[in-house]
Amino acid sequence: MLLAFLAVLLVNLLLVANIVTCLLVLTCVVITMVDVAGLMYFWDVDVNFLTATFIILSIGLAVDYSAHIGLAFMKNTGTREERIQKCLVELGSAVFNGGFSNCLALLPLAFSTSYAFKTFFKTFILASLLGLYHGLLFLPVTLSILGPSPYQSALKAKKEEAKGRHEAWSLPVREEATKVKTKNVKNDV
């Protein structure tokens, strides 16, 4: 399981490229897996080879929700609160819909009589729901408090966009437009 968490950290470092955001995403994944393992006890699921395999597989599911939010946070500019609001407006519904559709896909397994399918359902439904919670509630609050500054490329793009907007409003003045045309008026005296 530690190797899976290490893989999550390394892939996030490669793709997100910010150590603070990657550590916060990893924290969400670890907390999700601890919650899954703890709630499985109350759901009468024994710890065996099958449940351990399902928990390790569900790490990949849990990282999805947090990683998208973390990456979007890094791409937005503004204060931490503004960036997390933009992030949730842009991606919040998509992440929620992904988790919700995953729960719907797992729902038929709840009615299975097979131990393996029931265990799969219990593990993955917990990972989906808790991953959504940590990705859409816990991580945004944490990023709004501890979040790093945005990517330099995002700041540069914002400056260029602002410069482009300024230039668009100050149109070049053509010389012909500035000349005042006067009519020859004959004075009849």
Side-chain angles (χ1 to χ4, degrees):
M1 192 130 118
L2 291 177
L3 287 176
F5 290 138
L6 181 64
V8 166
L9 180 65
L10 292 177
V11 170
N12 269 322
L13 279 173
L14 182 69
L15 298 176
V16 177
N18 184 285
I19 188 71
V20 174
T21 304
C22 291
L23 289 174
L24 291 174
V25 168
L26 180 66
T27 301
C28 286
V29 174
V30 169
I31 292 172
T32 300
M33 291 301 104
V34 168
D35 290 347
V36 167
L39 287 172
M40 286 176 71
Y41 170 78
F42 293 108
W43 216 345
D44 293 329
V45 177
D46 297 329
V47 177
N48 55 32
F49 179 74
L50 190 64
T51 56
T53 303
F54 290 157
I55 288 174
I56 291 172
L57 287 174
S58 65
I59 290 173
L61 184 65
V63 73
D64 187 41
Y65 310 116
S66 299
H68 281 92
I69 298 297
L71 181 62
F73 179 78
M74 292 303 297
K75 288 183 176 181
N76 285 318
T77 57
T79 66
R80 288 180 184 147
E81 290 81 15
E82 290 171 349
R83 290 167 57 205
I84 204 65
Q85 284 177 349
K86 290 177 193 174
C87 167
L88 289 174
V89 166
E90 292 170 2
L91 279 182
S93 62
V95 169
F96 177 78
N97 287 337
F100 182 72
S101 65
N102 190 38
C103 291
L104 287 178
L106 291 170
L107 201 57
L109 294 177
F111 306 106
S112 174
T113 57
S114 168
Y115 174 76
F117 288 148
K118 280 192 174 271
T119 305
F120 184 84
F121 166 76
K122 290 176 181 180
T123 307
F124 276 73
I125 200 78
L126 285 173
S128 294
L129 294 175
L130 293 169
L132 275 174
Y133 169 75
H134 290 106
L136 290 177
L137 294 175
F138 179 77
L139 184 63
V141 171
T142 308
L143 285 172
S144 69
I145 297 168
L146 303 173
S149 59
Y151 291 138
Q152 291 299 319
S153 59
L155 293 172
K156 184 178 177 182
K158 184 177 180 184
K159 286 180 184 177
E160 288 176 6
E161 179 184 325
K163 182 181 176 184
R165 255 190 270 135
H166 177 69
E167 289 175 357
W169 285 105
S170 59
L171 297 173
V173 180
R174 293 191 329 219
E175 192 173 315
E176 298 99 28
T178 59
K179 292 182 183 175
V180 178
K181 294 183 180 180
T182 58
K183 290 184 178 180
N184 292 336
V185 180
K186 294 183 184 179
N187 292 335
D188 293 329
V189 184

